[in-house]
Amino acid sequence: MAKKPQVDIKITDTMRAAAEAEIIAQSKRIEFYLTEFSIEILAGKMAGGEYVVPAYQREFTWEPERKSRFIESIIMGLPIPFLFFWEMENGKLEIVDGSQRLRTLAEFVLGDFRLGELDALPTISGFRFADLPEGRQRKIRNRSIRGIVLNEHADEQARFDMFERINTSSKAANDAEVRRGALAGPFMKMVISLATNPTFEEIAPVSDKQRKEREREELVIRFFAYGDGLDGYKDRPREFIFDYAKKMNAEMDARPDLIDEYKMRFEMMVAFVHKHFASGFRRTPSGKATPRARFEGMAIGSALALRERPEIADADLRTHEWVHEKEFSSITGSDGANAIARLRSRIEYVRTRLLDAA
């Protein structure tokens, strides 16, 4: 695809001043300090529960070969990427990035992990830590690794930004995983529960990879966030949804009755789509995925139509006449899908078609 030509913008002093003010405002949200601990201390703290693996972190997925290769790098003295933490109120450190490395260190130095086949150091293949010469054990324990700690004064959005931007040796957690840890509360608990609704799973297929990455949770939270209105939306779903989830956690803390109200809204939408859209949220009858833009249009458009005229739930709406047509596919295409105009267009299209058919 050809790149769009850059527009020649004349930068004024006013624009420079605004840019500087924005940079200063964002920088104030990021407060951190550096740490440097020996491997002996790191392994001990990990085993002792001083380092907390949050809910949004992926399960321990390193295979034995990768763990062995990491330990080989440690023994050889190769550079190890920084660890990233967030300082919790109780003084413990929540691991932002590095849980795989820390768990591997604890398993090797304090546990019973046996090295697999090594490339650079084949002689110690099959060794446990205790099998190494005592002098080498001391050298490994004494080696230090640096870390960066985002302190307790940094706000939640700063934590979220840090999670999203980190790209070190382990894959960064995605948005749904981050929200699980950074925004734990009644609203997020409800979202997680609704994502496992059996009918929803049936009409919103996802790949095994997407399931593990909690794609259905992402769909559920978008249904509520966009369905409650797009005031303040600036074509950046990540920030909008984060702020929405934080607000809803607080509201449901104050008003627990909202939980049942929101659950009912979601379940009514799911039942409606299941009844009136033969292929669910699939692009084709045999599709095995749920495109986000298509889901947003169908789910929120249906909910808005139901809210306006509940009786359409029992009407013959003939959705088969348009749901797989070129016009709707174009409206729910991925090009510019997050732009507010496109988002509103696909939601309104479904709402209008349903109400007109009733």
Side-chain angles (χ1 to χ4, degrees):
M1 182 181 294
K3 292 184 178 179
K4 296 180 180 179
Q6 291 187 339
V7 179
D8 188 13
I9 301 174
K10 181 177 176 58
I11 306 299
T12 65
D13 289 342
T14 300
M15 293 168 67
R16 290 189 183 92
E20 181 64 14
E22 183 178 63
I23 292 169
I24 291 172
Q26 291 296 317
S27 298
K28 286 180 178 178
R29 297 167 48 241
I30 310 297
E31 297 184 37
F32 66 91
Y33 59 88
L34 299 177
T35 65
E36 188 166 359
F37 290 123
S38 69
I39 284 177
E40 182 174 33
I41 292 175
L42 290 171
K45 284 180 175 289
M46 189 67 194
E50 286 296 308
Y51 295 150
V52 178
V53 180
Y56 59 83
Q57 288 276 14
R58 299 172 189 277
E59 295 180 2
F60 195 101
T61 57
W62 273 13
E63 64 283 354
E65 292 77 15
R66 189 169 181 184
K67 288 189 283 188
S68 295
R69 186 173 177 81
F70 172 67
I71 296 299
E72 183 182 41
S73 298
I74 291 284
I75 296 172
M76 292 172 63
L78 294 175
I80 303 302
F82 274 67
L83 302 166
F84 287 82
F85 302 96
W86 174 69
E87 185 177 55
M88 303 171 70
E89 289 184 3
N90 62 8
K92 292 185 178 183
L93 298 182
E94 179 181 286
I95 305 168
V96 176
D97 187 70
S99 66
Q100 307 283 2
R101 284 165 279 158
L102 286 168
R103 283 184 274 193
T104 298
L105 285 175
E107 188 178 351
F108 181 63
V109 175
L110 302 176
D112 202 36
F113 178 70
R114 185 189 293 275
L115 295 171
E117 292 295 323
L118 303 179
D119 295 329
L121 302 173
T123 305
I124 63 171
S125 296
F127 275 43
R128 296 185 176 90
F129 183 74
D131 297 324
L132 294 168
E134 288 187 10
R136 180 54 55 188
Q137 292 181 35
R138 292 191 188 96
K139 290 176 181 178
I140 294 172
R141 290 195 190 98
N142 291 336
R143 187 178 172 192
S144 63
I145 299 177
R146 290 186 174 184
I148 293 177
V149 181
L150 189 66
N151 72 23
E152 61 181 330
H153 301 299
D155 63 22
E156 288 174 316
Q157 186 64 48
R159 290 172 62 195
F160 185 78
D161 290 343
M162 183 178 178
F163 299 153
E164 194 272 328
R165 292 172 185 273
I166 286 172
N167 183 23
T168 58
S169 64
S170 58
K171 187 176 180 180
N174 63 36
D175 292 351
E177 292 169 324
V178 169
R179 293 188 204 108
R180 272 181 162 236
L183 293 174
F187 173 72
M188 287 305 305
K189 183 177 180 181
M190 180 194 71
V191 167
I192 293 167
S193 174
L194 291 176
T196 62
N197 177 295
T199 306
F200 180 54
E201 290 181 336
E202 178 186 342
I203 63 177
V206 297
S207 67
D208 189 55
K209 178 176 181 293
Q210 287 178 316
R211 180 185 60 78
K212 291 178 180 177
E213 293 177 347
R214 312 188 194 285
E215 175 65 11
R216 287 197 183 94
E217 290 177 25
E218 181 70 22
L219 297 177
V220 174
I221 200 169
R222 285 178 179 234
F223 168 76
F224 289 122
Y226 298 162
D228 274 350
L230 295 169
D231 292 343
Y233 182 84
K234 298 177 181 177
D235 300 349
R236 293 192 295 271
R238 180 180 292 113
E239 295 176 12
F240 181 80
I241 294 173
F242 184 94
D243 291 340
Y244 174 83
K246 181 179 178 181
K247 179 192 73 171
M248 291 307 301
N249 270 336
E251 289 190 11
M252 289 184 175
D253 261 331
R255 287 189 54 198
D257 59 295
L258 284 176
I259 298 174
D260 287 338
E261 179 183 320
Y262 273 67
K263 279 184 178 179
M264 183 178 297
R265 185 197 304 179
F266 181 81
E267 290 166 355
M268 286 177 62
M269 177 277 294
V270 167
F272 181 86
V273 172
H274 183 256
K275 178 178 180 179
H276 292 284
F277 295 89
S279 303
F281 298 109
R282 300 169 181 84
R283 183 175 282 115
T284 64
S286 60
K288 297 181 180 179
T290 301
R292 287 182 182 180
R294 189 177 184 87
F295 169 82
E296 291 159 1
M298 293 174 64
I300 302 168
S302 295
L304 292 178
L306 274 171
R307 186 185 305 175
E308 191 170 340
R309 293 174 58 188
E311 67 272 15
I312 69 170
D314 298 318
D316 179 12
L317 301 175
R318 303 182 299 280
T319 59
H320 62 279
E321 296 178 359
W322 56 268
V323 72
H324 295 300
E325 294 298 320
K326 186 176 181 180
E327 182 180 8
F328 185 55
S329 295
S330 176
I331 290 173
T332 55
S334 59
D335 186 24
N338 291 323
I340 191 168
R342 293 291 303 272
L343 180 53
R344 282 179 170 152
S345 175
R346 56 182 173 265
I347 293 171
E348 182 60 22
Y349 181 89
V350 174
R351 187 192 75 85
T352 301
R353 292 299 299 254
L354 293 174
L355 292 177
D356 287 349

